[in-house]
Each structure stands twice: as C-alpha cells, then as structure tokens.
Amino acid sequence: MNPVNVGLLGLGTVGGGTALVLSRNADEISRRAGRGIQVTHAAGLGIDPANPPAGTANARLTADAWEVVNDPNVDIVVELIGGYSPARELVLKAIENGKHVVTANKALIARHGNEIFAAAQAKGVMVAFEAAVAGGIPIIKALREGLAANRIQWIAGIINGTGNFILTEMRDKGREFSDVLAEAQALGYAEADPTFDVEGIDAAHKLTILASLAFGIELQFEACFTEGISKITREDVAYAEELGYRIKHLGVTRRTATGIELRVHPTLIPHRRLIANVDGVMNAVLVKGDAVGPTLYYGAGAGAEPTASSVVADIIDVTRTLTTDPTNRVPHLAFQPNAMSHDLPVLPMSEVETAYYLRMAAADKPGVLADITRILGDAQISIEAFIQKESPDGVTCVPLVLLTHKVREAQMDAAIAKIEALDSIEGHITRMRVEYLDA
Ligand code: HSE
C-alpha cells in the first residue's frame, strides 16, 4: 500500500520533534499503522534547505504554510504553529481541501473547535488533537475511548508544566516567582506569551477541551473561570505545608446537579494525594468515573519528543482509519455531534462550592479574632483550622491563616468583603480554594 503523505506546518520544537520521531521509528510505526508514513512537505521559518531538520531530508521545504495545505499530494496536514491565527484559517482550508488534520494547538481547539469540527464533519475528514492537552499523556484517548463506559463525575488536572515547575521550585528551594519563570522560558516549556502559563489561560484552554470530552458539552472557553499563580507568596506555600496541604495550579471540571463547574485556580490539595506530589514540569490528570472510580494519568506535559509522541499517535490513528466509514469513526468530542448536551450550563464561579484558605494581616489587639469569626459565623462559614503567627519585630500586624469548610463562592465573597472592611484588617485577604479530591 502507498505510504501516507504528511504535510507539516511548523518546524519549531514540536514540529522538529515530530519529524524526528516519524523518521527514527519509521519501521515500527509502519508496522503499527499498516502502511508507511512520510513527511513530504514541511513549512517552517528560517529553514536552510542545505541543512534540513532531521526527518525532512526527502520533503519539500517552504516558508509558506499555504503551499502545504494546498498541496494535492498531502493526505494529512499536521498543524504545529500554535496560536489562533493563521492556524484557524490554515486548518479550515486543509479541511476544505479534503485533508485530515492533526494539531497540538489547544488555543485553536478550545476557541474554534466547534467551528472546526463542524467543518470536518461536513467534509468527512478527521481532526485529531491528542497533543493539545497534557503533551505526551494520552488523556484524550483515555476519555474518548478507554473511559467511554463511564459517566464522568469530575476531572482535576495539573495541565500546565510551567506553572507546576514554578510552584515546585518555590516550595522546594524557596525561590522567587520571577526567577523561576525565567528558567522555565529558557528551558522552552513556557508559551510564547508566558502570561498564558502563569495566569491560567493555557490551562483553561486544555480544561475546556477535557470538559467537552467528559460531559458531551460544546467547547466553551469563554465560560472558564481563570485565576493565576503570580500572587502566591513563599509564605502561602509554607503555611499550606504547615496545614498539611500543597498548592497546585489546578484545572477542575465537575458535574453538579445544576451544571458544570469549569475553573482554573491555585488550589490547596492534601499533601498525601498522589496528584499533590506531581512536581516540576510534569503533568497529571485525575479523572473520576462512576464505574471505574478515580484514575490518574501522569507524564510529561511539554517538550519536543513527549509532545511528538502524541502527535505521531494521532497520525497513526488517522492512517489506520483512513478507510473507515466516516460516520462510524470515534467522534471528535467523544459524544456523537447530534447527542451533545445543551441543558448542562457551565456554572458561574459564584455558584461553585469549595473549602477555602484565607490569609490576612490583622492588628494584634483584643477582639479582632472575634470580629472575624462572627462575620464567618453569620455567613454560615465554618472554620476548620487556624494559624496565627507572631508579628516580626516592629510590625504591628500579624498574619492570620484560616481554613474553612465548604461554602458557596458568593457567600465567601460577601464575608471577605466584610472582613476586609474591618479597621483591624490591613490590605486585601489572600484566598485560595481547597480541593480534597477524595474518591
Ligand atoms: N506552556 C505549556 C506548559 C506547554 O507549560 O505546559 C505545553 O502545553
């Protein structure tokens, strides 16, 4: 059988890794796929044709990605440029030209996936995106196929390696946030715009995709609540440890009676949970299904070859199913397009219920604690743990740290506003949500 021809868009970290893995493992890959897979056309900027990247020696090289999507000999277009545009236009053109698409682009799928999948469905081509979430971890396949028997109850994931690397270094070495971020950028883990990593946008892209696959809802990136890690201090990290928790930048999506929670924020997790011990640039996704219970998926969330591992798996999948009847393929978002739920709204954050970590600076004088506990008590918020530190010499305020039981976010917002209005409280209260993630 003729080999399948791949057109690569992007020859950067992931594109280079993909070409390399496809050529290095070509024999084994063709034994798995049932036919050869070769890169025949590749687009990248600043490529020296006299010195082609590994795995592209037999490919046409160009700086113009449109040449690749319009090449009649290309069967599968692999989009590894990233970002919203021109990736969206290139992918839609490839689909219009009848080509199957593989992409690692989480931003593209989270934002424009509904449009792209509708176009692909109409044209009878596949769009595969395993590498878009958690790099080398096959979490899309797990949700779409391995867990297909389950009613998924919740997912909690560490799905941004840069953020996890920063929090781990802050905890282990007491390093400053900005210093660790610079190292993550130098190591090539961070997004082109690193605020996407530290403010949770990258994780929100990935969580949006996971929620659709888990619950059969359309991709709704705009509805995802997002809070970053840039305001976490070394003191917060230390207080959390003292209380028996680790701070992780978690993406959480949960099915409730009234809708779907979709949120990315720093979260305290009991330190003995496996996921609390996922450190450095590694990713992990914890999925709770009604039949299987909790399952945990762990691995590299970024990097050339780990991401290429998922991209190449998608290329093999597409190759295997090239001859399958298009109406009987695994659906893009796990549920059949005509069976998506439209009565499961994504809940506003004010409706979400979690436990809380609160840290505030309070005047060291009688009655302050009574005022705080009265406000919390009036709001039906129960305190689980409490730490008061001594004030450093010359400082009149003391740090107070509280852990509360579960409460609706709207109730907590109101209580925080009242506590912040007390004369005895200085500045703003730092709040983080707590997840127990117990089965
Ligand atoms: N910037 C991302 C991360 C890369 O740090 O996880 C992989 O999506």
Side-chain angles (χ1 to χ4, degrees), residues 326-396:
T327 54
N328 283 314
R329 291 182 185 144
V330 178
H332 291 113
L333 287 174
F335 289 70
Q336 297 296 339
N338 60 1
M340 303 288 276
S341 294
H342 297 288
D343 53 357
L344 262 182
V346 173
L347 297 172
M349 198 59 195
S350 55
E351 295 299 314
V352 168
E353 241 187 38
T354 64
Y356 285 86
Y357 162 99
L358 303 178
R359 174 172 57 79
M360 61 200 86
D364 194 6
K365 61 180 191 190
V368 173
L369 212 50
D371 287 341
I372 296 168
T373 52
R374 180 180 42 75
I375 291 170
L376 292 174
D378 288 350
Q380 303 297 312
I381 299 171
S382 167
I383 297 172
E384 169 159 338
F386 169 75
I387 310 178
Q388 176 175 340
K389 293 288 179 189
E390 283 180 13
S391 54
D393 286 345
V395 178
T396 51

Side-chain angles (χ1 to χ4, degrees), residues 26-111:
D27 285 348
E28 192 128 349
I29 286 170
S30 73
R31 283 170 54 214
R32 291 181 194 272
R35 58 200 282 201
I37 296 175
Q38 58 186 16
V39 177
T40 54
H41 207 161
L45 298 177
I47 303 296
D48 174 7
N51 188 19
T56 62
N58 298 322
R60 277 174 66 194
L61 295 178
T62 174
D64 181 5
W66 292 98
E67 262 184 37
V68 177
V69 297
N70 288 321
D71 179 345
N73 294 317
V74 163
D75 303 303
I76 304 174
V77 167
V78 179
E79 185 277 305
L80 303 171
I81 297 174
Y84 300 125
S85 184
R88 170 179 164 272
E89 294 77 12
L90 286 163
V91 163
L92 287 171
K93 186 67 184 173
I95 292 169
E96 188 188 316
N97 289 344
K99 300 183 191 311
H100 303 283
V101 173
V102 171
T103 178
N105 190 335
K106 55 258 168 159
L108 178 73
I109 297 297
R111 256 233 151 94

Side-chain angles (χ1 to χ4, degrees), residues 252-266:
V252 179
T253 185
R254 189 188 303 271
R255 189 199 298 262
T256 75
T258 48
I260 301 295
E261 296 176 5
L262 190 62
R263 49 194 171 93
V264 173
H265 49 69

Side-chain angles (χ1 to χ4, degrees), residues 236-292:
D236 287 320
V237 173
Y239 295 147
E241 289 283 321
E242 193 173 332
L243 289 160
Y245 294 81
R246 296 264 161 85
I247 301 175
K248 292 290 176 191
H249 202 190
L250 222 57
V252 179
T253 185
R254 189 188 303 271
R255 189 199 298 262
T256 75
T258 48
I260 301 295
E261 296 176 5
L262 190 62
R263 49 194 171 93
V264 173
H265 49 69
T267 311
L268 275 75
I269 311 172
H271 69 90
R272 42 181 200 287
R273 294 266 178 276
L274 274 178
I275 196 168
N277 294 281
V278 170
D279 286 335
V281 76
M282 301 307 273
N283 281 198
V285 184
L286 183 54
V287 183
K288 173 84 187 332
D290 68 339
V292 71

Side-chain angles (χ1 to χ4, degrees), residues 106 131-132 134-135 159-163 189-191 197 202 206 281 283 301-303:
K106 55 258 168 159
I159 43 180
N160 182 269
T162 301
Y189 302 140
E191 294 301 299
D197 295 297
D202 177 71
K206 296 165 180 169
V281 76
N283 281 198

